[in-house]
């Protein structure tokens, strides 16, 4: 009886796996960033109704136990999976770029990223930047959302930052950039900064703390 029950269970799981695989049979993968000479990474995308915008970080960098990227570009992609134009350079850094994200609203994209995550065993400036990008891929002048510093965490043997892991969304006619603020007392909290479509950066307010 136990053997029959086990066999039925295995058959049921197998059928579920077949069904799951079949449901992805029509999915077609396509390259967005595929330069064999680079290590590339993308973590976000947004859609403007015609194309997608994908922030691509490249030029892999390693320092002690942490990693980042030296350059940031954006790539437009059509709904059919074809690249629209060439990658557009956005920023470069000697201290590491990470957590590039993007949101669309009000006829434009807002691109965000963190610069200054590879502190080695010292302390360096860490900044969360933003820049508007038009639907045809023109990148505006970067501006600052929040500033802090990265420092060596001896207990965990890695770099930590007083401003970290930013994200962005669009709602109610404004963009909102969220990020972790660490005052160094072991109780970080999430800040939110409203950004108007005209580039006006509002006052940061706390969303949660733990």
């Amino acid at each position: 009886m136990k053997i029959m029950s086990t066999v039925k269970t295995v058959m049921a799981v197998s059928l579920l796996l077949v069904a799951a695989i079949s449901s992805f049979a029509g999915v077609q993968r396509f390259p967005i960033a595929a330069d064999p000479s680079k290590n590339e990474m993308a973590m976000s995308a947004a859609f403007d109704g015609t194309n997608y915008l994908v922030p691509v970080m490249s030029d892999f960098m390693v320092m002690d136990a942490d990693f980042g990227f030296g350059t940031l570009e954006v790539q437009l992609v059509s709904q059919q999976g074809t690249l629209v134009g060439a990658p557009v350079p956005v920023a470069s850094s000697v201290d590491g770029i990470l957590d590039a994200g993007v949101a669309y609203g009000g006829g434009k994209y807002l691109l965000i990223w963190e610069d200054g995550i590879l502190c080695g065993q010292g302390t360096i400036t860490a900044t969360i930047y933003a820049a508007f990008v038009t639907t045809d891929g023109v990148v505006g002048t970067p501006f600052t959302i929040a500033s802090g510093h990265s420092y060596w965490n001896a207990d965990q043997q890695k770099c930590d930052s007083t401003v970290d892991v930013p994200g962005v969304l669009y709602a109610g006619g404004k963009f909102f950039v969220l990020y972790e603020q660490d005052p160094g007392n072991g109780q970080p909290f999430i800040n939110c900064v409203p950004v108007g479509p005209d580039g006006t950066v509002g006052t940061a307010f706390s969303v949660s703390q733990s």
Side-chain angles (χ1 to χ4, degrees):
M1 186 67 70
K2 289 182 179 180
I3 293 176
M4 287 298 296
S5 176
T6 302
V7 169
K8 288 181 180 179
T9 301
V10 170
M11 289 178 63
V13 171
S14 300
L15 289 172
L16 285 172
L17 287 173
V18 170
I21 292 170
S22 299
S23 68
F24 287 98
V27 175
Q28 181 178 354
R29 298 178 181 177
F30 55 90
I32 294 173
D35 187 334
S37 68
K38 297 180 179 179
N39 289 296
E40 300 168 310
M41 182 176 182
M43 304 171 64
S44 178
F47 182 59
D48 62 23
T50 302
N51 295 313
Y52 297 88
L53 186 75
V54 183
V56 179
M57 298 169 289
S58 59
D59 298 329
F60 191 63
M61 304 168 68
V62 179
M63 185 176 292
D64 292 320
D66 285 326
F67 75 92
F69 295 87
T71 57
L72 173 63
E73 301 172 324
V74 289
Q75 175 67 62
L76 285 168
V77 184
S78 75
Q79 297 180 58
Q80 291 71 41
T82 57
L83 304 187
V84 180
V88 180
V90 175
S92 61
S93 172
V94 297
D95 297 315
I97 291 172
L98 199 61
D99 297 321
V102 64
Y104 176 80
K108 63 183 72 176
Y109 295 97
L110 184 64
L111 172 70
I112 62 161
W113 67 96
E114 183 178 359
D115 186 337
I117 62 169
L118 296 177
C119 66
Q121 297 197 28
T123 300
I124 61 170
T125 299
T127 306
I128 295 173
Y129 287 109
F132 286 110
V133 184
T134 65
T135 54
D136 55 357
V138 177
V139 180
T141 302
F143 54 93
T144 299
I145 296 294
S147 297
H149 64 271
S150 293
Y151 59 93
W152 180 251
N153 185 325
D155 291 336
Q156 298 184 25
Q157 290 293 295
K158 68 180 185 70
C159 285
D160 276 335
S161 181
T162 58
V163 291
D164 208 359
V165 290
V168 61
L169 59 89
Y170 180 85
K174 288 185 179 182
F175 294 93
F176 295 89
V177 181
L178 295 98
Y179 62 94
E180 182 182 284
Q181 179 83 49
D182 186 356
N185 60 2
Q187 293 185 320
F189 52 91
I190 302 300
N191 267 357
C192 181
V193 177
V195 180
D198 60 351
T200 302
V201 179
T203 302
F205 59 91
S206 179
V207 175
S208 66
Q209 185 172 14
S210 66

